[in-house]
Amino acid sequence: MVVRVVAIVAVCPVSGGENTLALVIAELWFDSEQGMEAVLTSDTYKTVVFPDEKTFLDHGNTLILVGEQVESIGDHRAG
């Protein structure tokens, strides 16, 4: 299973102007839910990555979507 995490920041002020906004989209891919949980609960994420995110993301206005990649069409090359 492949887990996809998409963080969508729809209202993100851009440095240089309070009325300048940007749409920011970040995708993170993990091999499993357990892998995602391991990364997001790691000491490195909590002490380094998350504090850094606060310098460029408004977590209060961030929409996070978590999905699972599902193969709906088989390999057309398979006989």
Side-chain angles (χ1 to χ4, degrees), residues 10-22 58:
V11 180
C12 182
V14 176
S15 62
E18 63 184 53
N19 294 323
T20 306
L21 303 176
D58 178 358

Side-chain angles (χ1 to χ4, degrees), residues 2-76:
V2 176
V3 177
R4 176 183 180 200
V5 177
V6 180
I8 302 172
V9 182
V11 180
C12 182
V14 176
S15 62
E18 63 184 53
N19 294 323
T20 306
L21 303 176
L23 173 63
V24 178
I25 300 174
E27 288 190 33
L28 305 171
W29 291 81
F30 300 94
D31 291 332
S32 65
E33 289 181 42
Q34 294 80 13
M36 177 181 66
E37 185 174 339
V39 169
L40 298 179
T41 60
S42 70
D43 287 338
T44 301
Y45 181 81
K46 291 189 278 187
T47 62
V48 177
V49 178
F50 187 75
D52 184 53
E53 286 178 354
K54 292 180 180 181
T55 66
F56 59 91
L57 290 178
D58 178 358
H59 284 114
N61 287 313
T62 301
L63 172 65
I64 297 177
L65 306 171
V66 178
E68 180 180 327
Q69 181 175 331
V70 177
E71 186 174 321
S72 60
I73 300 175
D75 186 350
H76 69 281

